[in-house]
């Protein structure tokens, strides 16, 4: 009897080791205890109304408008813009950066990122949890990886427009943009918290906040 029990435990072991909750797909999800649990982020469109068009997305063909304070634009190809990615655990973005433009320091809380430079010359860098900065200037065809959750940026250091295509192991990787998270939250983080964080005067906090 004991031997049989151990055999069952042994056979189930690979499944038991995978029994943890799936990674989150959203920042939060207040449970609706009256509905049925689902593995999908969104309920599914009926199969009878699915067409070929559902599985193709033109969104990344179009150049992003970089006329903004950072001179860069992310065009997302995630589950919200390309619904066929629902439940499939991956997505891609297009990043356009004007000469001297910057995709400012940010993290993707739910995903590792890989990318390839399509055109231009780009400085890609990230900082580890051990506070080590790794970076390299990349040209077309070169690829990079940003481990999940680490703060990183892309800066156009060439004379022409830059385009990067990025890929994520999440259908909705999420983004925390460091400057806007700290200085443009609604409602805002108390001034004294930011002044103390950066060891600066509140007037400097106001000056930074006024830029956003
Ligand atoms: C790009 O964005 C700027 C600022 O929002 C806007 O004035 C301009 O018309 C846009 N250009 C195009 C081609 O959409």
């Amino acid at each position: 009897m004991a031997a049989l029990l151990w055999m069952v435990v042994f056979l189930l072991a690979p499944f038991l080791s995978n029994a943890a909750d799936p990674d989150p797909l959203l920042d939060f999800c207040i449970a609706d205890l009256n509905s049925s649990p689902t593995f999908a982020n969104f309920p599914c469109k009926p199969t009878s109304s699915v067409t070929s068009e559902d599985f193709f997305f033109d969104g990344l063909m179009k150049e992003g408008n970089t006329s903004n304070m950072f001179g860069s634009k992310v065009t997302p190809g995630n589950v919200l813009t390309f619904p066929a990615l629902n439940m499939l655990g991956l997505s891609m973005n297009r990043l356009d950066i004007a000469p001297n433009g910057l995709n400012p320091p940010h993290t993707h809380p739910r995903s590792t990122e890989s990318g390839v430079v399509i055109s231009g010359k780009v400085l890609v860098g990230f900082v580890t949890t051990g506070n080590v900065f790794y970076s390299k200037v990349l040209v077309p065809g070169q690829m990079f990886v940003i481990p999940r959750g680490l703060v990183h940026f892309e800066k156009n250091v060439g004379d022409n427009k830059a385009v990067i295509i990025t890929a994520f192991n999440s259908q909705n990787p999420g983004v925390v943009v460091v400057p806007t998270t700290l200085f443009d939250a609604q409602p805002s983080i108390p001034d004294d918290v930011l002044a103390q964080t950066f060891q600066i005067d509140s007037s400097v906090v106001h000056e930074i906040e006024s830029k956003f």
Side-chain angles (χ1 to χ4, degrees):
M1 189 63 193
L4 183 65
L5 187 64
W6 278 115
M7 205 174 98
V8 169
V9 169
F10 177 74
L11 289 173
L12 287 178
F15 301 100
L16 293 175
S17 66
N18 286 332
D21 284 350
D23 284 344
L25 295 172
L26 301 166
D27 285 348
F28 56 82
C29 177
I30 313 298
D32 175 2
L33 299 179
N34 297 318
S35 70
S36 306
T38 170
F39 290 104
N41 189 354
F42 294 93
C44 310
K45 180 174 176 175
T47 308
S48 56
S49 59
V50 171
T51 70
S52 288
E53 287 305 309
D54 284 305
F55 299 99
F56 301 91
F57 178 60
D58 294 339
L60 303 192
M61 292 173 74
K62 201 162 154 252
E63 183 177 341
N65 185 344
T66 58
S67 301
N68 55 57
M69 69 188 292
F70 290 117
S72 69
K73 181 70 178 181
V74 173
T75 304
N78 60 29
V79 69
L80 302 174
T81 55
F82 184 16
L85 297 178
N86 192 35
M87 214 185 63
L88 299 181
L90 84 173
S91 56
M92 298 180 84
N93 286 350
R94 172 181 175 139
L95 170 62
D96 288 276
I97 322 177
N100 209 37
L102 170 71
N103 188 17
H106 63 281
T107 82
H108 303 289
R110 295 181 288 273
S111 180
T112 287
E113 168 177 346
S114 187
V116 61
V117 176
I118 302 300
S119 62
K121 192 173 162 190
V122 187
L123 172 66
V124 178
F126 68 92
V127 180
T128 68
T129 56
N131 231 16
V132 180
F133 176 54
Y134 292 102
S135 69
K136 182 168 174 161
V137 173
L138 301 182
V139 296
Q142 289 186 301
M143 190 175 164
F144 63 88
V145 65
I146 309 292
R148 177 172 170 166
L150 300 185
V151 172
H152 61 283
F153 65 84
E154 291 97 355
K155 164 106 179 157
N156 186 340
V157 293
D159 297 328
N160 303 307
K161 293 176 183 176
V163 177
I164 297 177
I165 297 290
T166 53
F168 302 87
N169 59 337
S170 166
Q171 66 191 36
N172 188 14
V175 62
V176 174
V177 181
V178 176
T180 51
T181 294
L182 293 177
F183 294 100
D184 196 28
Q186 308 297 330
S188 54
I189 295 174
D191 286 357
D192 62 306
V193 171
L194 293 171
Q196 192 174 5
T197 298
F198 292 100
Q199 300 288 298
I200 52 177
D201 196 81
S202 293
S203 62
V204 181
V205 172
H206 293 151
E207 189 190 335
I208 299 172
E209 283 172 343
S210 72
K211 313 271 185 196
F212 293 99

